[in-house]
Amino acid sequence: MASDSKQSKYLTVYLHYNGFFAPKPLVYLNVVVVSICDVDFGAMDFKDFNLFIAKLIEGSCDNVYYCTRNEPLAEGIRRITNDADYFEFIETGYSDEAGLRMNVYIDHENEPVLDWADDEGHYFDEDLDDDKDSQLSDDIPYEHEADDYIPSLDKTIGDEFLHRVSGMCKDINDEAETDEVETKNGDDKPVYPVHNENQKWDKMVPILGMRFSNPMELKNCLTNYAVKNGYNLYFEKNDSQRGQLLAAMGRDANNHIFPIAWAVVEVENKETWKWFLDLLLDDIEMGIGHGLTLISDQHKGLIEAVKERVPAAEHRQCARHIYANFKKSFKGEQYRKLFWAAAASTTQPKFEAEMNSKKN
């Protein structure tokens, strides 16, 4: 037990519950976190602690784990099953390394958490390369560009359209080009081209005097032109009108998430999602979606855009978003377990059985 001098400050416990553990890497997902900083845990024993946690989360807490906040979960996780474990938890919390802060996790699914942590440790040990010949050395010479060579990052240099818009390119040739404006029926009034909104996005080229049917067409044309040529886009800040972030994320063979594309739009609707999908599908060369699986929330504009742009893709809604709506009407641990059991079903009979259990 910690001494009285150490107990002058209470231990801050960050309680993680209503989630579940997942391996490789060991993480705790879909979590609710509560910070407890005004309770003297040092005055409790394991039974008192268990009753306190069970009352707080309004459920059972048979599987309790802890880890310091400055350790990776797979390396520092330990289980509390008796008074000896609990007193070790208190001593660790009051140590200099922990700094009076500890993470506590509740396992609701009876998972083999410690086995997962051990397996992960072995996995990383096997990855260590003992071949000294393959290690990098500071003595190995390497070549690099000369210090006085700094490549220009301004891709707009030499862009005829941008220079003419900004008035930076006024010479004899520009004046000659300006004079060569098409006229109609012998009149002096020039005839300017009309923007075609149906042409491919990377073929859109703005021309001085080009006519657009609405401001959105002009904005889309300029945006596509900038994206095609790799120009930086700058928008004037307007606090009265917030933007929306559209993003496409992927998952690789190591089960890691990585971003594929993102864009900021004025509003999330069918039109902005269609524009985003057009650029994305053109970049990843997926056509109308054969072999493509999309998982998203239940936004109506996105669902309609996917039907139009990628009709051959498999489109499903994210179970987490469905559960967020589900738990508004059906609260409690039992409903949560039934829902995720159905969501994790890999066969139709298993799914139907879980759904029948939910109905009952």
Side-chain angles (χ1 to χ4, degrees):
M1 181 74 70
S3 64
D4 293 338
S5 61
K6 290 183 178 180
Q7 302 293 339
S8 58
K9 293 184 179 180
Y10 288 160
L11 180 66
T12 300
V13 170
Y14 298 87
L15 178 63
H16 302 66
Y17 68 100
N18 271 9
F20 59 91
F21 284 101
K24 294 184 180 181
L26 185 62
V27 291
Y28 194 75
L29 303 174
N30 293 351
V31 60
V32 175
V33 182
V34 175
S35 174
I36 309 169
C37 57
D38 55 354
V39 175
D40 186 4
F41 291 103
M44 299 182 182
D45 58 14
F46 174 63
K47 183 178 180 180
D48 296 332
F49 177 75
N50 228 23
L51 291 174
F52 174 81
I53 298 298
K55 184 177 180 180
L56 182 63
I57 67 175
E58 298 180 350
S60 61
C61 52
D62 297 330
N63 303 304
V64 183
Y65 297 86
Y66 72 91
C67 182
T68 61
R69 291 181 61 82
N70 55 5
E71 279 185 299
L73 194 56
E75 297 179 10
I77 192 166
R78 295 171 178 82
R79 187 175 181 181
I80 306 176
T81 58
N82 51 44
D83 284 336
D85 295 335
Y86 181 73
F87 295 149
E88 182 180 353
F89 159 72
I90 295 298
E91 288 289 347
T92 304
Y94 279 97
S95 65
D96 294 335
E97 292 79 8
L100 296 175
R101 299 188 303 167
M102 295 288 283
N103 285 327
V104 173
Y105 303 88
I106 307 300
D107 176 23
H108 303 281
E109 309 294 339
N110 296 320
E111 301 287 6
V113 178
L114 296 182
D115 292 339
W116 288 348
D118 290 339
D119 291 341
E120 191 165 322
H122 296 321
Y123 172 78
F124 286 117
D125 289 343
E126 292 172 0
D127 278 352
L128 295 177
D129 191 355
D130 295 331
D131 185 4
K132 296 182 179 180
D133 295 334
S134 66
Q135 303 297 320
L136 295 177
S137 171
D138 294 336
D139 298 331
I140 299 177
Y142 60 92
E143 297 181 358
H144 60 83
E145 296 175 341
D147 293 337
D148 57 353
Y149 172 70
I150 303 177
S152 173
L153 300 179
D154 186 2
K155 297 182 180 181
T156 64
I157 295 178
D159 187 286
E160 179 182 347
F161 169 75
L162 295 181
H163 280 213
R164 293 184 65 183
V165 169
S166 62
M168 297 175 59
C169 185
K170 293 182 178 180
D171 55 20
I172 299 176
N173 294 331
D174 284 333
E175 293 177 359
E177 291 180 3
T178 305
D179 293 337
E180 295 177 1
V181 178
E182 180 183 355
T183 59
K184 188 175 183 181
N185 298 328
D187 298 334
D188 293 335
K189 185 177 180 180
V191 178
Y192 294 107
V194 178
H195 172 67
N196 178 16
E197 64 172 336
N198 296 320
Q199 64 181 317
K200 197 174 181 182
W201 74 272
D202 57 351
K203 301 298 182 183
M204 293 184 180
V205 178
I207 301 174
L208 287 180
M210 178 176 280
R211 293 184 294 169
F212 297 86
S213 61
N214 56 63
M216 183 58 69
E217 278 192 6
L218 171 61
K219 184 175 181 179
N220 287 340
C221 178
L222 294 176
T223 301
N224 291 332
Y225 183 71
V227 171
K228 169 64 170 60
N229 292 279
Y231 301 158
N232 291 326
L233 294 176
Y234 297 95
F235 295 94
E236 184 177 354
K237 183 177 180 181
N238 185 353
D239 290 334
S240 64
Q241 188 173 8
R242 300 289 181 177
Q244 294 287 330
L245 177 66
L246 308 183
M249 311 294 291
R251 189 181 294 270
D252 62 16
N254 293 323
N255 208 31
H256 292 168
I257 296 176
F258 62 94
I260 300 175
W262 63 271
V264 178
V265 295
E266 292 180 355
V267 63
E268 183 183 10
N269 57 26
K270 180 180 177 180
E271 294 303 318
T272 55
W273 273 118
K274 284 166 60 177
W275 170 79
F276 182 81
L277 287 174
D278 285 341
L279 299 181
L280 174 64
L281 294 170
D282 183 78
D283 189 60
I284 64 178
E285 300 179 351
M286 288 303 299
I288 61 173
H290 288 291
L292 179 66
T293 300
L294 299 175
I295 302 176
S296 70
D297 60 12
Q298 296 172 297
H299 190 275
K300 185 177 180 180
L302 175 57
I303 294 175
E304 295 298 323
V306 169
K307 289 180 180 179
E308 290 189 16
R309 291 300 195 256
V310 278
E314 290 286 343
H315 187 201
R316 297 291 182 268
Q317 275 69 58
C318 171
R320 185 174 181 181
H321 288 89
I322 297 176
Y323 177 68
N325 294 328
F326 173 80
K327 70 178 183 179
K328 293 178 182 177
S329 302
F330 303 95
K331 303 180 183 296
E333 182 68 15
Q334 184 179 9
Y335 283 117
R336 187 188 71 84
K337 289 184 177 181
L338 290 172
F339 175 88
W340 287 108
S345 300
T346 56
T347 63
Q348 184 173 348
K350 175 66 174 175
F351 175 77
E352 292 176 350
E354 296 294 346
M355 292 299 292
N356 288 333
S357 299
K358 191 186 301 183
K359 293 177 182 177
N360 295 333

